[in-house]
Short mmCIF file of all heavy atoms in Angstrom, two decimals:
data_model
loop_
_atom_site.label_atom_id
_atom_site.label_comp_id
_atom_site.label_asym_id
_atom_site.label_seq_id
_atom_site.Cartn_x
_atom_site.Cartn_y
_atom_site.Cartn_z
N MET A 1 -11.61 -3.58 -3.95
CA MET A 1 -10.39 -3.91 -4.67
C MET A 1 -9.18 -3.81 -3.74
O MET A 1 -8.93 -2.76 -3.16
CB MET A 1 -10.21 -2.94 -5.83
CG MET A 1 -10.43 -3.62 -7.16
SD MET A 1 -9.94 -2.57 -8.53
CE MET A 1 -10.79 -1.05 -8.20
N LYS A 2 -8.49 -4.92 -3.61
CA LYS A 2 -7.35 -4.92 -2.71
C LYS A 2 -6.08 -4.45 -3.45
O LYS A 2 -5.85 -4.85 -4.57
CB LYS A 2 -7.15 -6.35 -2.21
CG LYS A 2 -6.24 -6.44 -1.01
CD LYS A 2 -6.14 -7.87 -0.52
CE LYS A 2 -5.14 -7.92 0.61
NZ LYS A 2 -5.04 -9.22 1.24
N PRO A 3 -5.29 -3.59 -2.79
CA PRO A 3 -4.05 -3.18 -3.44
C PRO A 3 -2.97 -4.27 -3.34
O PRO A 3 -3.04 -5.13 -2.46
CB PRO A 3 -3.63 -1.95 -2.65
CG PRO A 3 -4.25 -2.11 -1.31
CD PRO A 3 -5.49 -2.93 -1.51
N ILE A 4 -2.01 -4.22 -4.21
CA ILE A 4 -0.87 -5.13 -4.14
C ILE A 4 0.39 -4.27 -4.20
O ILE A 4 0.40 -3.22 -4.84
CB ILE A 4 -0.75 -6.08 -5.35
CG1 ILE A 4 -2.08 -6.29 -6.04
CG2 ILE A 4 -0.11 -7.40 -4.98
CD1 ILE A 4 -1.94 -7.14 -7.29
N ILE A 5 1.43 -4.75 -3.58
CA ILE A 5 2.70 -4.03 -3.62
C ILE A 5 3.76 -4.93 -4.23
O ILE A 5 3.87 -6.10 -3.87
CB ILE A 5 3.12 -3.60 -2.21
CG1 ILE A 5 2.16 -2.53 -1.71
CG2 ILE A 5 4.54 -3.05 -2.20
CD1 ILE A 5 2.45 -2.03 -0.35
N ASN A 6 4.49 -4.38 -5.15
CA ASN A 6 5.62 -5.11 -5.69
C ASN A 6 6.79 -4.89 -4.73
O ASN A 6 7.49 -3.89 -4.79
CB ASN A 6 5.94 -4.57 -7.09
CG ASN A 6 7.10 -5.32 -7.71
OD1 ASN A 6 7.73 -6.16 -7.08
ND2 ASN A 6 7.38 -5.03 -8.96
N LEU A 7 6.95 -5.84 -3.82
CA LEU A 7 7.92 -5.66 -2.74
C LEU A 7 9.36 -5.57 -3.23
O LEU A 7 10.21 -4.99 -2.56
CB LEU A 7 7.79 -6.79 -1.72
CG LEU A 7 6.55 -6.69 -0.81
CD1 LEU A 7 6.47 -7.92 0.08
CD2 LEU A 7 6.58 -5.43 0.04
N SER A 8 9.63 -6.12 -4.39
CA SER A 8 11.01 -6.07 -4.86
C SER A 8 11.41 -4.65 -5.28
O SER A 8 12.59 -4.32 -5.33
CB SER A 8 11.24 -7.07 -5.99
OG SER A 8 10.35 -6.82 -7.02
N ASP A 9 10.39 -3.81 -5.57
CA ASP A 9 10.70 -2.42 -5.92
C ASP A 9 10.54 -1.47 -4.74
O ASP A 9 11.00 -0.34 -4.78
CB ASP A 9 9.77 -1.94 -7.04
CG ASP A 9 10.16 -2.53 -8.38
OD1 ASP A 9 11.30 -3.01 -8.50
OD2 ASP A 9 9.32 -2.50 -9.30
N CYS A 10 9.86 -1.92 -3.69
CA CYS A 10 9.56 -1.05 -2.55
C CYS A 10 10.84 -0.65 -1.81
O CYS A 10 11.68 -1.50 -1.52
CB CYS A 10 8.61 -1.78 -1.61
SG CYS A 10 8.32 -0.90 -0.06
N VAL A 11 10.98 0.66 -1.53
CA VAL A 11 12.17 1.15 -0.84
C VAL A 11 11.86 1.53 0.62
O VAL A 11 12.65 2.18 1.28
CB VAL A 11 12.80 2.35 -1.58
CG1 VAL A 11 13.40 1.91 -2.91
CG2 VAL A 11 11.80 3.47 -1.79
N LEU A 12 10.68 1.11 1.09
CA LEU A 12 10.28 1.33 2.49
C LEU A 12 10.32 2.80 2.91
O LEU A 12 10.74 3.12 4.02
CB LEU A 12 11.17 0.48 3.43
CG LEU A 12 10.99 -1.03 3.27
CD1 LEU A 12 12.05 -1.78 4.06
CD2 LEU A 12 9.61 -1.47 3.71
N CYS A 13 9.87 3.68 2.01
CA CYS A 13 9.86 5.10 2.34
C CYS A 13 8.72 5.44 3.30
O CYS A 13 8.70 6.50 3.90
CB CYS A 13 9.72 5.92 1.07
SG CYS A 13 8.11 5.72 0.30
N GLU A 14 7.74 4.53 3.40
CA GLU A 14 6.60 4.66 4.32
C GLU A 14 5.59 5.72 3.93
O GLU A 14 4.73 6.09 4.72
CB GLU A 14 7.06 4.90 5.77
CG GLU A 14 7.79 3.69 6.33
CD GLU A 14 8.13 3.85 7.80
OE1 GLU A 14 7.29 4.37 8.55
OE2 GLU A 14 9.24 3.46 8.19
N ILE A 15 5.68 6.25 2.73
CA ILE A 15 4.69 7.25 2.29
C ILE A 15 3.29 6.63 2.29
O ILE A 15 2.33 7.24 2.74
CB ILE A 15 5.06 7.80 0.89
CG1 ILE A 15 6.26 8.74 1.02
CG2 ILE A 15 3.87 8.52 0.24
CD1 ILE A 15 6.81 9.26 -0.29
N CYS A 16 3.19 5.40 1.79
CA CYS A 16 1.87 4.75 1.75
C CYS A 16 1.30 4.55 3.16
O CYS A 16 0.10 4.72 3.37
CB CYS A 16 1.96 3.41 1.01
SG CYS A 16 3.20 2.28 1.67
N VAL A 17 2.17 4.26 4.11
CA VAL A 17 1.71 4.06 5.50
C VAL A 17 1.23 5.39 6.07
O VAL A 17 0.22 5.46 6.76
CB VAL A 17 2.85 3.48 6.37
CG1 VAL A 17 2.39 3.28 7.80
CG2 VAL A 17 3.36 2.17 5.79
N GLU A 18 1.95 6.46 5.75
CA GLU A 18 1.55 7.77 6.24
C GLU A 18 0.23 8.21 5.63
O GLU A 18 -0.63 8.77 6.30
CB GLU A 18 2.61 8.82 5.87
CG GLU A 18 3.68 8.94 6.92
CD GLU A 18 4.83 9.81 6.44
OE1 GLU A 18 4.57 10.82 5.77
OE2 GLU A 18 5.98 9.43 6.72
N LEU A 19 0.06 7.95 4.33
CA LEU A 19 -1.16 8.39 3.64
C LEU A 19 -2.37 7.52 3.98
O LEU A 19 -3.48 8.01 4.11
CB LEU A 19 -0.95 8.40 2.12
CG LEU A 19 0.00 9.47 1.58
CD1 LEU A 19 0.27 9.24 0.11
CD2 LEU A 19 -0.59 10.86 1.80
N CYS A 20 -2.17 6.23 4.10
CA CYS A 20 -3.29 5.31 4.36
C CYS A 20 -2.92 4.32 5.48
O CYS A 20 -2.70 3.14 5.23
CB CYS A 20 -3.66 4.50 3.13
SG CYS A 20 -3.61 5.35 1.57
N PRO A 21 -2.86 4.81 6.71
CA PRO A 21 -2.48 3.92 7.82
C PRO A 21 -3.47 2.79 8.07
O PRO A 21 -3.14 1.82 8.76
CB PRO A 21 -2.39 4.87 9.02
CG PRO A 21 -3.13 6.09 8.64
CD PRO A 21 -3.12 6.18 7.14
N LYS A 22 -4.69 2.93 7.53
CA LYS A 22 -5.68 1.86 7.73
C LYS A 22 -5.51 0.76 6.70
O LYS A 22 -6.19 -0.27 6.74
CB LYS A 22 -7.10 2.42 7.64
CG LYS A 22 -7.44 3.29 8.80
CD LYS A 22 -8.87 3.77 8.68
CE LYS A 22 -9.17 4.75 9.82
NZ LYS A 22 -10.31 5.61 9.48
N ILE A 23 -4.65 0.98 5.72
CA ILE A 23 -4.49 0.01 4.63
C ILE A 23 -3.09 -0.61 4.62
O ILE A 23 -2.93 -1.81 4.45
CB ILE A 23 -4.79 0.68 3.27
CG1 ILE A 23 -6.23 1.21 3.28
CG2 ILE A 23 -4.59 -0.32 2.12
CD1 ILE A 23 -6.60 2.03 2.05
N PHE A 24 -2.09 0.25 4.81
CA PHE A 24 -0.71 -0.25 4.72
C PHE A 24 -0.05 -0.19 6.09
O PHE A 24 -0.27 0.75 6.85
CB PHE A 24 0.12 0.63 3.78
CG PHE A 24 -0.43 0.72 2.39
CD1 PHE A 24 -1.16 1.84 1.99
CD2 PHE A 24 -0.23 -0.29 1.46
CE1 PHE A 24 -1.68 1.94 0.70
CE2 PHE A 24 -0.73 -0.19 0.17
CZ PHE A 24 -1.46 0.93 -0.21
N LYS A 25 0.78 -1.20 6.37
CA LYS A 25 1.59 -1.11 7.59
C LYS A 25 2.92 -1.80 7.35
O LYS A 25 3.08 -2.58 6.41
CB LYS A 25 0.86 -1.74 8.78
CG LYS A 25 0.80 -3.26 8.72
CD LYS A 25 0.55 -3.83 10.12
CE LYS A 25 0.78 -5.33 10.13
NZ LYS A 25 0.60 -5.92 11.45
N ILE A 26 3.86 -1.49 8.23
CA ILE A 26 5.15 -2.18 8.17
C ILE A 26 5.03 -3.38 9.10
O ILE A 26 4.69 -3.22 10.27
CB ILE A 26 6.29 -1.26 8.62
CG1 ILE A 26 6.36 -0.05 7.70
CG2 ILE A 26 7.60 -2.04 8.67
CD1 ILE A 26 7.71 0.26 7.14
N ASN A 27 5.28 -4.56 8.59
CA ASN A 27 5.15 -5.73 9.46
C ASN A 27 6.45 -6.01 10.21
O ASN A 27 7.45 -5.31 10.05
CB ASN A 27 4.66 -6.95 8.66
CG ASN A 27 5.66 -7.39 7.61
OD1 ASN A 27 6.84 -7.06 7.69
ND2 ASN A 27 5.19 -8.16 6.64
N LYS A 28 6.38 -7.04 11.05
CA LYS A 28 7.54 -7.33 11.91
C LYS A 28 8.79 -7.67 11.11
O LYS A 28 9.90 -7.46 11.57
CB LYS A 28 7.19 -8.50 12.84
CG LYS A 28 6.33 -8.08 14.00
CD LYS A 28 6.12 -9.24 14.95
CE LYS A 28 5.05 -8.88 15.95
NZ LYS A 28 4.32 -10.03 16.45
N ALA A 29 8.58 -8.21 9.95
CA ALA A 29 9.73 -8.58 9.11
C ALA A 29 10.34 -7.35 8.43
O ALA A 29 11.38 -7.44 7.79
CB ALA A 29 9.29 -9.60 8.07
N GLY A 30 9.66 -6.19 8.58
CA GLY A 30 10.20 -4.97 8.00
C GLY A 30 9.74 -4.70 6.58
O GLY A 30 10.34 -3.91 5.87
N PHE A 31 8.65 -5.38 6.18
CA PHE A 31 8.11 -5.14 4.84
C PHE A 31 6.73 -4.50 4.94
O PHE A 31 6.06 -4.62 5.94
CB PHE A 31 7.97 -6.46 4.06
CG PHE A 31 9.29 -7.10 3.76
CD1 PHE A 31 9.67 -8.26 4.43
CD2 PHE A 31 10.16 -6.55 2.84
CE1 PHE A 31 10.89 -8.85 4.18
CE2 PHE A 31 11.38 -7.13 2.58
CZ PHE A 31 11.76 -8.29 3.25
N ILE A 32 6.34 -3.84 3.85
CA ILE A 32 5.00 -3.26 3.81
C ILE A 32 3.99 -4.39 3.65
O ILE A 32 4.18 -5.31 2.84
CB ILE A 32 4.85 -2.28 2.62
CG1 ILE A 32 5.82 -1.09 2.74
CG2 ILE A 32 3.41 -1.77 2.51
CD1 ILE A 32 5.51 -0.11 3.85
N GLU A 33 2.92 -4.30 4.42
CA GLU A 33 1.89 -5.32 4.37
C GLU A 33 0.54 -4.64 4.15
O GLU A 33 0.33 -3.53 4.61
CB GLU A 33 1.89 -6.03 5.73
CG GLU A 33 1.06 -7.27 5.80
CD GLU A 33 1.22 -7.93 7.17
OE1 GLU A 33 2.37 -8.29 7.53
OE2 GLU A 33 0.22 -8.03 7.88
N ILE A 34 -0.34 -5.31 3.41
CA ILE A 34 -1.69 -4.78 3.20
C ILE A 34 -2.57 -5.35 4.31
O ILE A 34 -2.66 -6.58 4.46
CB ILE A 34 -2.28 -5.25 1.85
CG1 ILE A 34 -1.29 -5.06 0.70
CG2 ILE A 34 -3.62 -4.58 1.56
CD1 ILE A 34 -1.04 -3.67 0.26
N LEU A 35 -3.21 -4.48 5.06
CA LEU A 35 -4.07 -4.96 6.14
C LEU A 35 -5.31 -5.63 5.55
O LEU A 35 -5.81 -5.24 4.50
CB LEU A 35 -4.47 -3.80 7.04
CG LEU A 35 -3.29 -3.22 7.84
CD1 LEU A 35 -3.67 -1.89 8.46
CD2 LEU A 35 -2.86 -4.20 8.93
N ASP A 36 -5.76 -6.65 6.26
CA ASP A 36 -6.91 -7.41 5.79
C ASP A 36 -8.19 -6.74 6.29
O ASP A 36 -8.61 -6.95 7.42
CB ASP A 36 -6.80 -8.83 6.34
CG ASP A 36 -7.29 -9.84 5.33
OD1 ASP A 36 -7.68 -9.43 4.23
OD2 ASP A 36 -7.29 -11.03 5.66
N ILE A 37 -8.79 -5.92 5.46
CA ILE A 37 -10.02 -5.24 5.87
C ILE A 37 -11.12 -5.50 4.84
O ILE A 37 -10.84 -5.98 3.75
CB ILE A 37 -9.80 -3.70 6.04
CG1 ILE A 37 -9.13 -3.11 4.79
CG2 ILE A 37 -8.96 -3.42 7.26
CD1 ILE A 37 -8.99 -1.59 4.84
N LYS A 38 -12.35 -5.17 5.23
CA LYS A 38 -13.48 -5.47 4.34
C LYS A 38 -13.47 -4.63 3.09
O LYS A 38 -13.66 -5.11 1.99
CB LYS A 38 -14.79 -5.26 5.10
CG LYS A 38 -15.28 -6.51 5.76
CD LYS A 38 -16.70 -6.30 6.25
CE LYS A 38 -17.10 -7.43 7.18
NZ LYS A 38 -18.17 -7.01 8.09
N GLU A 39 -13.29 -3.31 3.31
CA GLU A 39 -13.33 -2.43 2.15
C GLU A 39 -12.13 -1.52 2.10
O GLU A 39 -11.77 -0.93 3.12
CB GLU A 39 -14.61 -1.61 2.16
CG GLU A 39 -15.68 -2.30 1.34
CD GLU A 39 -16.83 -1.39 1.05
OE1 GLU A 39 -16.60 -0.27 0.56
OE2 GLU A 39 -17.96 -1.80 1.31
N TYR A 40 -11.54 -1.42 0.93
CA TYR A 40 -10.36 -0.58 0.78
C TYR A 40 -10.76 0.75 0.17
O TYR A 40 -11.54 0.78 -0.77
CB TYR A 40 -9.34 -1.30 -0.10
CG TYR A 40 -8.79 -2.52 0.57
CD1 TYR A 40 -9.38 -3.77 0.39
CD2 TYR A 40 -7.69 -2.42 1.42
CE1 TYR A 40 -8.89 -4.89 1.04
CE2 TYR A 40 -7.19 -3.53 2.07
CZ TYR A 40 -7.79 -4.77 1.88
OH TYR A 40 -7.32 -5.86 2.53
N ASP A 41 -10.24 1.83 0.77
CA ASP A 41 -10.53 3.17 0.27
C ASP A 41 -9.74 3.41 -1.02
O ASP A 41 -8.53 3.64 -1.01
CB ASP A 41 -10.11 4.17 1.37
CG ASP A 41 -10.34 5.62 0.97
OD1 ASP A 41 -10.52 5.88 -0.26
OD2 ASP A 41 -10.35 6.48 1.86
N LYS A 42 -10.46 3.31 -2.13
CA LYS A 42 -9.83 3.37 -3.44
C LYS A 42 -9.08 4.69 -3.65
O LYS A 42 -7.98 4.72 -4.18
CB LYS A 42 -10.91 3.23 -4.51
CG LYS A 42 -10.39 2.49 -5.75
CD LYS A 42 -11.32 2.65 -6.93
CE LYS A 42 -12.59 1.85 -6.84
NZ LYS A 42 -13.45 2.02 -8.03
N ASP A 43 -9.70 5.80 -3.19
CA ASP A 43 -9.07 7.11 -3.40
C ASP A 43 -7.75 7.20 -2.64
O ASP A 43 -6.78 7.77 -3.13
CB ASP A 43 -10.01 8.23 -2.94
CG ASP A 43 -11.19 8.36 -3.87
OD1 ASP A 43 -11.08 7.90 -5.03
OD2 ASP A 43 -12.22 8.90 -3.44
N CYS A 44 -7.74 6.64 -1.44
CA CYS A 44 -6.52 6.69 -0.64
C CYS A 44 -5.43 5.84 -1.31
O CYS A 44 -4.27 6.26 -1.38
CB CYS A 44 -6.81 6.18 0.77
SG CYS A 44 -5.53 6.67 1.93
N ILE A 45 -5.81 4.70 -1.81
CA ILE A 45 -4.82 3.84 -2.49
C ILE A 45 -4.29 4.55 -3.73
O ILE A 45 -3.09 4.52 -4.00
CB ILE A 45 -5.44 2.49 -2.87
CG1 ILE A 45 -5.85 1.74 -1.60
CG2 ILE A 45 -4.46 1.64 -3.67
CD1 ILE A 45 -6.74 0.54 -1.84
N LYS A 46 -5.19 5.20 -4.44
CA LYS A 46 -4.75 5.94 -5.64
C LYS A 46 -3.75 7.02 -5.28
O LYS A 46 -2.75 7.23 -5.96
CB LYS A 46 -5.96 6.59 -6.33
CG LYS A 46 -6.60 5.69 -7.36
CD LYS A 46 -7.66 6.46 -8.11
CE LYS A 46 -8.58 5.52 -8.84
NZ LYS A 46 -9.85 6.15 -9.20
N GLU A 47 -4.03 7.71 -4.18
CA GLU A 47 -3.13 8.77 -3.73
C GLU A 47 -1.77 8.17 -3.35
O GLU A 47 -0.72 8.71 -3.69
CB GLU A 47 -3.74 9.50 -2.54
CG GLU A 47 -3.13 10.86 -2.36
CD GLU A 47 -3.58 11.55 -1.08
OE1 GLU A 47 -4.60 11.13 -0.50
OE2 GLU A 47 -2.89 12.49 -0.66
N ALA A 48 -1.81 7.04 -2.64
CA ALA A 48 -0.56 6.39 -2.26
C ALA A 48 0.20 5.94 -3.50
O ALA A 48 1.42 6.13 -3.60
CB ALA A 48 -0.86 5.20 -1.34
N ALA A 49 -0.53 5.37 -4.45
CA ALA A 49 0.12 4.89 -5.68
C ALA A 49 0.76 6.05 -6.45
O ALA A 49 1.86 5.93 -6.97
CB ALA A 49 -0.90 4.16 -6.55
N THR A 50 0.06 7.18 -6.47
CA THR A 50 0.59 8.35 -7.17
C THR A 50 1.85 8.88 -6.49
O THR A 50 2.77 9.35 -7.15
CB THR A 50 -0.47 9.48 -7.18
OG1 THR A 50 -1.67 8.96 -7.73
CG2 THR A 50 -0.03 10.66 -8.01
N ASN A 51 1.88 8.78 -5.17
CA ASN A 51 3.01 9.33 -4.43
C ASN A 51 4.13 8.33 -4.16
O ASN A 51 5.19 8.71 -3.66
CB ASN A 51 2.52 9.92 -3.10
CG ASN A 51 1.77 11.22 -3.31
OD1 ASN A 51 2.37 12.24 -3.59
ND2 ASN A 51 0.45 11.17 -3.24
N CYS A 52 3.89 7.08 -4.47
CA CYS A 52 4.93 6.06 -4.25
C CYS A 52 6.10 6.33 -5.20
O CYS A 52 5.91 6.37 -6.41
CB CYS A 52 4.34 4.68 -4.51
SG CYS A 52 5.60 3.39 -4.53
N PRO A 53 7.29 6.55 -4.67
CA PRO A 53 8.41 6.92 -5.53
C PRO A 53 8.84 5.81 -6.48
O PRO A 53 9.51 6.06 -7.49
CB PRO A 53 9.54 7.24 -4.54
CG PRO A 53 9.17 6.53 -3.28
CD PRO A 53 7.67 6.49 -3.25
N GLU A 54 8.45 4.59 -6.19
CA GLU A 54 8.87 3.46 -7.03
C GLU A 54 7.74 2.91 -7.90
O GLU A 54 7.90 1.89 -8.57
CB GLU A 54 9.43 2.34 -6.15
CG GLU A 54 10.66 2.73 -5.34
CD GLU A 54 11.82 3.17 -6.22
OE1 GLU A 54 12.04 2.56 -7.28
OE2 GLU A 54 12.52 4.14 -5.85
N ASP A 55 6.59 3.55 -7.84
CA ASP A 55 5.41 3.08 -8.60
C ASP A 55 5.14 1.59 -8.38
O ASP A 55 4.95 0.84 -9.34
CB ASP A 55 5.62 3.32 -10.11
CG ASP A 55 5.47 4.80 -10.45
OD1 ASP A 55 4.77 5.50 -9.71
OD2 ASP A 55 6.06 5.22 -11.46
N CYS A 56 5.17 1.16 -7.15
CA CYS A 56 5.02 -0.28 -6.92
C CYS A 56 3.71 -0.64 -6.23
O CYS A 56 3.57 -1.75 -5.70
CB CYS A 56 6.23 -0.84 -6.20
SG CYS A 56 6.65 -0.04 -4.66
N ILE A 57 2.74 0.29 -6.22
CA ILE A 57 1.42 -0.03 -5.67
C ILE A 57 0.43 -0.23 -6.82
O ILE A 57 0.29 0.63 -7.67
CB ILE A 57 0.92 1.08 -4.73
CG1 ILE A 57 1.92 1.27 -3.57
CG2 ILE A 57 -0.47 0.74 -4.19
CD1 ILE A 57 1.62 2.47 -2.69
N PHE A 58 -0.23 -1.38 -6.82
CA PHE A 58 -1.19 -1.71 -7.89
C PHE A 58 -2.51 -2.14 -7.29
O PHE A 58 -2.61 -2.47 -6.11
CB PHE A 58 -0.65 -2.87 -8.73
CG PHE A 58 0.69 -2.62 -9.34
CD1 PHE A 58 1.84 -3.02 -8.68
CD2 PHE A 58 0.81 -1.96 -10.55
CE1 PHE A 58 3.09 -2.79 -9.23
CE2 PHE A 58 2.05 -1.73 -11.11
CZ PHE A 58 3.20 -2.13 -10.44
N PHE A 59 -3.52 -2.22 -8.14
CA PHE A 59 -4.79 -2.81 -7.73
C PHE A 59 -4.86 -4.25 -8.22
O PHE A 59 -4.44 -4.53 -9.34
CB PHE A 59 -5.98 -2.07 -8.35
CG PHE A 59 -6.30 -0.77 -7.64
CD1 PHE A 59 -6.00 0.44 -8.20
CD2 PHE A 59 -6.92 -0.81 -6.40
CE1 PHE A 59 -6.31 1.62 -7.55
CE2 PHE A 59 -7.23 0.36 -5.75
CZ PHE A 59 -6.93 1.58 -6.31
N GLU A 60 -5.39 -5.10 -7.39
CA GLU A 60 -5.59 -6.49 -7.78
C GLU A 60 -6.68 -6.52 -8.85
O GLU A 60 -7.67 -5.81 -8.72
CB GLU A 60 -6.08 -7.27 -6.55
CG GLU A 60 -5.77 -8.71 -6.56
CD GLU A 60 -6.05 -9.29 -5.18
OE1 GLU A 60 -7.18 -9.09 -4.68
OE2 GLU A 60 -5.15 -9.90 -4.61
N VAL A 61 -6.51 -7.29 -9.91
CA VAL A 61 -7.55 -7.34 -10.94
C VAL A 61 -8.21 -8.70 -11.00
O VAL A 61 -7.69 -9.66 -10.50
CB VAL A 61 -7.02 -6.97 -12.35
CG1 VAL A 61 -7.11 -5.48 -12.56
CG2 VAL A 61 -5.63 -7.46 -12.59
S1 SF4 B 101 5.17 4.28 -0.96
FE1 SF4 B 101 5.92 2.67 -2.34
S2 SF4 B 101 8.11 2.56 -1.98
FE2 SF4 B 101 7.24 3.71 -0.29
S3 SF4 B 101 6.89 2.18 1.31
FE3 SF4 B 101 5.00 2.35 0.14
S4 SF4 B 101 5.10 0.80 -1.44
FE4 SF4 B 101 7.17 1.08 -0.63
#
């Protein structure tokens, strides 16, 4: 399950990048980007979503 970020709510606090550096990164444009990998660590995404101050991390359905 790939995570999605609602970029219009994201405040670039980088908590998600710190918690899951293999999943989230800041791209050259200065926005959070989801890395294209085979399998996403669901627990790590959940932790990032829980700690995201803007509640803007979701799972793709
Ligand atoms: S934790 Fe949430 S608000 Fe912070 S950078 Fe990640 S997506 Fe944006």
Side-chain angles (χ1 to χ4, degrees):
M1 251 190 309
K2 195 177 176 175
I4 336 176
I5 292 180
N6 181 354
L7 285 176
S8 57
D9 285 342
C10 173
V11 291
L12 294 171
C13 69
E14 294 186 41
I15 287 175
C16 55
V17 180
E18 271 171 39
L19 290 172
C20 321
K22 290 183 185 158
I23 301 173
F24 302 101
K25 73 159 192 178
I26 299 231
N27 65 19
K28 282 185 191 151
F31 294 108
I32 299 290
E33 190 176 300
I34 312 288
L35 292 167
D36 217 2
I37 51 175
K38 268 191 193 156
E39 266 194 52
Y40 293 92
D41 179 343
K42 213 195 286 181
D43 290 338
C44 198
I45 297 167
K46 270 188 197 161
E47 200 187 343
T50 306
N51 287 286
C52 171
E54 298 300 320
D55 286 334
C56 55
I57 301 172
F58 303 93
F59 281 107
E60 206 169 54
V61 272

